[in-house]
Amino acid sequence: MARSSCSSRPRSDGGGPAARRTAAGAGALLFLVACGAQAAPAGGEVRGSIAVEMAAVRASGAKDDLDVVLLLEPVAGKPAAPVAARAAMDQKGLVFLPHVLAVQKGTTVTFLNNDPEPHNVYFLDDRTGKTLDIGTYGPGVSVDHTFTEPGMVIVLCKLHLEMAAYVVVSGWPWFTAVRLDPGTSTASFRIAGVPPGEYELRAWHKSLKQKGGAVRVRVAGGSVVEVPVVITKARYARAAGSPGAGK
């Protein structure tokens, strides 16, 4: 689940040695600009709206239902390398803060204890069911854990069973976490800097599912792809995939 802690030859048009050197230099420079210094394709953008359908979400309290994570996963290609990033999750007032944390694979998360009493941190892997206890520690003490595999991990405290939080680990750098508006249960999202290619857009919510499942999107250089996302109760979410976007 994780661990803690082109080929060408420049040509001269004759003349003396200096003229030949100048012509050769110019030819080499022209060749470099035309063939050897091609810029990478400009990144595109995936954005859209999120709406809740046929479900009510809890809009208040430290463990509300307002967090949604959007993740873009390439249909084909090599896995992204882990990042050396850092993030933090606190324990304060017998609550994990933030309630939902989205990170990329390779991120080290520092679990803090700003309560006046001991806390414990252990993980439940949502996909495999495996658990990992990273320790019990006192006030003012922190412990680091590096998330090395993509997926979702439930964070719990054995000393305070009412405490729970979620860490969503993306295998790729194209993701974002947003908060639903408490009054309308809607939100907008934007994922920028997406290389050209074909992706699946997935929405994660702790209790609701993405209607129609992951959406296939095609991103071109410099393009903007608009994708509406609906989350609903599992029984209303169709198992079949939605039509693609950006095609």
Side-chain angles (χ1 to χ4, degrees), residues 8-223:
S8 180
R9 185 176 299 166
R11 189 181 71 137
S12 162
D13 290 326
R20 286 196 294 272
R21 287 196 299 269
T22 302
L29 178 60
L30 180 61
F31 168 71
L32 176 64
V33 171
C35 297
Q38 295 176 0
E45 179 179 310
V46 178
R47 68 188 185 192
S49 60
I50 306 170
V52 176
E53 184 179 277
M54 300 180 70
V57 294
R58 181 172 51 186
S60 62
K63 296 187 288 185
D64 60 41
D65 299 336
L66 301 178
D67 295 285
V68 184
V69 181
L70 291 304
L71 308 101
L72 272 181
E73 302 175 356
V75 173
K78 297 179 180 178
V83 296
R86 299 196 67 91
M89 179 174 282
D90 202 353
Q91 294 173 95
K92 191 173 184 179
L94 301 184
V95 175
F96 285 108
L97 300 170
H99 184 52
V100 173
L101 178 64
V103 300
Q104 187 177 343
K105 178 182 70 176
T107 299
T108 297
V109 178
T110 299
F111 291 88
L112 307 162
N113 181 3
N114 278 307
D115 268 337
E117 55 190 292
H119 275 301
N120 166 267
V121 175
Y122 77 99
F123 306 128
L124 172 62
D125 190 301
D126 183 63
R127 180 177 56 87
T128 66
K130 293 181 178 180
T131 61
L132 178 65
D133 190 327
I134 64 170
T136 299
Y137 47 99
V141 180
S142 66
V143 61
D144 288 351
H145 180 80
T146 301
F147 290 88
T148 61
E149 297 294 333
M152 191 278 285
V153 173
I154 304 172
V155 185
L156 300 162
C157 174
K158 287 182 176 179
L159 304 182
H160 308 95
L161 301 184
E162 72 276 17
M163 295 179 64
Y166 304 84
V167 177
V168 180
V169 185
S170 173
W172 307 88
W174 310 295
F175 64 93
T176 187
V178 299
R179 298 270 293 168
L180 297 170
D181 181 271
T184 64
S185 296
T186 61
S188 60
F189 70 92
R190 175 179 178 266
I191 304 174
V194 182
E198 198 164 7
Y199 300 82
E200 286 191 337
L201 177 67
R202 301 181 183 275
W204 177 90
H205 183 272
K206 71 177 184 181
S207 59
L208 303 179
K209 301 297 182 182
Q210 184 175 2
K211 186 176 181 180
V215 180
R216 186 71 63 95
V217 298
R218 184 172 294 148
V219 179
S223 69

